[in-house]
Amino acid sequence: MEFSIKSGNPEKQRSACVVVGIYEPRKLSSAAIAIDRGAKGYLGEILRRGDMEGKTGSTLLLHGVPHVACDRVLLVGLGKEREFREKEYGDAVRAAIRTLNETGAMEAVVCLTELPIKKRTTSWKVSQAVTATMEAVYRFDRLKSKQDGLRRPLRKLTLSVPTRADLSTGEEAVRQGLATAQGVSLSRDLGNLPSNICTPSYLAEQALGMAKTYGFKTEVLGHKDMERLKMGALLAVSRGSREPARLITLEHHGADRKTPPIVLVGKGITFDTGGISLKPAAEMDEMKFDMCGAAAVLGTLKAAAQLQLPMNVVGVIPTCENMPGGNATKPGDVVTSMSGQTIEVLNTDAEGRLILCDALTYAERFNPEIVIDIATLTGACVIALGHVASGLFSNDDALARELLAAGDYAVDRAWQLPLWEDYQEQLKSNFADMANIGGRPAGSVTAACFLSRFARKYRWAHIDIAGVAWKSGKEKGATGRPVPMLTRFLIQRSAARSQR
Ligand code: BES
Ligand code: MN
Ligand code: ZN
């Protein structure tokens, strides 16, 4: 999809379609008023006849509107004006794009980007329009024997901004929105691929491919390397599987080599059966999404590279399968992590923290400014926050605030949960330094507490994306979250840095 920015009168835009908003009940937005004036009251008349109420997500496509330069006018319902906020804006854009994609118009001018939203800038509206558009046109049909392609798909969108002074801001926002959206798409693709295709080796190949395209420095460690590094926790998870484990690192160097990097660590369990602590059969297929943390790291690095962010970012991806088998780790087994701390594996299904703890220790060698891990870590997080917010934990409150703000801006929100000492008690083991589970109460918190014991040497945050990384049911599929939050976080940081 191609995006451009324009300012000027909507009624004078030569285009296959111009898209304007209608508030409920039957109230024209300012771009709609401009068209209505040019068309001598034609839109107002249609609304009076009762063809469009303005409900959120509704659309009405008009042909042959008199005295306007474009072939079609698409009216998009916005809901009540007083209730028109971030979510309604995204819904309106997605509804418009879905309709446009099904009409013959292959390009359009979208005026929704001029709608006022409290506290949101033109820049925000433009980048959100880009990400929402890309989300709406996303398809994953490469595994179907026939792709039912659209006959005349939408190719080019022009987003309108209020004045000529907004043009360059708009263009920068398109760039950021597109980079984010491409990171999201990559992350969704990887998440949606089944575990017989998306194996640890496949993820490593993808990383190597990205290294070629974007100039990342990449390293892929195999079983022997990890043995040498004494990654006993990661290898304990991989033992039951025939697929070899990998530890992937990618480095984006946008700043001086000596500048400490932001390290992103992503959980890459390409399938989580639970191991010997086997999961029940229902919906087990969704455990192919257990590598969405890894996918988010790759997606965010892709966005960072496309934006040529003037900072150093490192991705670390521990990846393997969690399988039962004759050689699998058994409940009660004690393993020694790379940090030297010993772990009693009371439940082999709490495997994410086992691969992450060794990756967190490994991250020390990059002398990181900050380490952020991203993981589909606990079912308990889904119970706590549902499918709306990611769970955020941090040993540094300023870092937590930065991530929360980035999530709020990107409409990819997180909610902070406590990491208090009081919870550490639940991880006591009679046989090792700690157990890998802390019982049912506060399951997401004790998982984060476990990780915190391996992240004492740097500022660290943990994002539990178990509830947000994919959707179940009819719309089953990966979401690409939290790539928007992480990309925004990096953009924010690189901007703050260059101002200093
Ligand atoms: N990958 C799962 C977490 C998960 C479960 C994410 C369901 C999304 C939906 C993780 O490896 C896991 O199995 N966690 C266990 C931990 C428990 C054994 C302490 C869980 O949450 O049940
Ligand atoms: Mn598990
Ligand atoms: Zn898992």
Side-chain angles (χ1 to χ4, degrees), residues 138 187-189 191-192 289 292 469-471 475-480:
Y138 176 85
S187 172
R188 292 177 80 176
D189 283 348
N192 287 333
F289 294 119
C292 282
W470 72 90
K471 291 182 185 168
E475 289 180 81
K476 194 192 285 180
T479 60

Side-chain angles (χ1 to χ4, degrees), residues 228-290:
R228 234 173 281 130
L229 288 163
K230 299 198 160 64
M231 295 188 158
L234 193 163
L235 291 170
V237 177
S238 178
R239 284 182 70 98
S241 169
R242 301 276 183 108
E243 285 292 337
R246 295 282 181 261
L247 186 90
I248 308 165
T249 61
L250 292 134
E251 301 177 37
H252 162 78
H253 284 285
D256 189 288
R257 293 253 150 201
K258 280 175 295 199
T259 312
I262 310 258
V263 178
L264 304 176
V265 179
K267 172 177 172 182
I269 295 289
T270 56
F271 198 86
D272 182 11
T273 65
I276 297 298
S277 314
L278 194 63
K279 287 185 180 294
E283 278 123 53
M284 207 209 272
D285 67 289
E286 296 190 2
M287 283 299 119
K288 73 171 184 179
F289 294 119
D290 212 18

Side-chain angles (χ1 to χ4, degrees), residues 57 101 108 116 127 143 161 214 235 240 242 276 308 315 440 460 491:
N101 226 356
S127 70
L143 302 178
V161 293
Y214 300 107
L235 291 170
R242 301 276 183 108
I276 297 298
Q308 297 178 295
R440 297 249 297 160
W460 160 79
I491 292 173

Side-chain angles (χ1 to χ4, degrees), residues 272 279 322 349-351:
D272 182 11
K279 287 185 180 294
N322 185 22
D349 197 12
E351 85 296 341

Side-chain angles (χ1 to χ4, degrees), residues 107-182:
E107 48 98 27
V109 175
V110 175
C111 297
L112 303 176
T113 34
E114 290 189 54
L115 296 166
I117 306 171
K118 249 196 212 119
K119 294 193 201 141
R120 296 302 186 187
T121 57
T122 292
S123 184
W124 182 90
K125 287 178 231 173
V126 169
S127 70
Q128 280 298 309
V130 173
T131 49
T133 297
M134 298 296 278
E135 185 191 327
V137 301
Y138 176 85
R139 296 256 130 62
F140 185 80
D141 52 12
R142 69 169 85 164
L143 302 178
K144 306 225 185 213
S145 58
K146 282 193 203 76
Q147 277 92 11
D148 47 358
L150 293 161
R151 201 174 53 83
R152 288 171 67 82
L154 187 61
R155 286 267 161 74
K156 187 171 181 302
L157 272 193
T158 304
L159 307 175
S160 72
V161 293
T163 68
R164 298 193 53 175
D166 300 309
L167 290 175
S168 64
T169 341
E171 274 150 19
E172 176 56 23
V174 165
R175 206 171 77 89
Q176 294 184 358
L178 254 184
T180 306
Q182 279 164 7

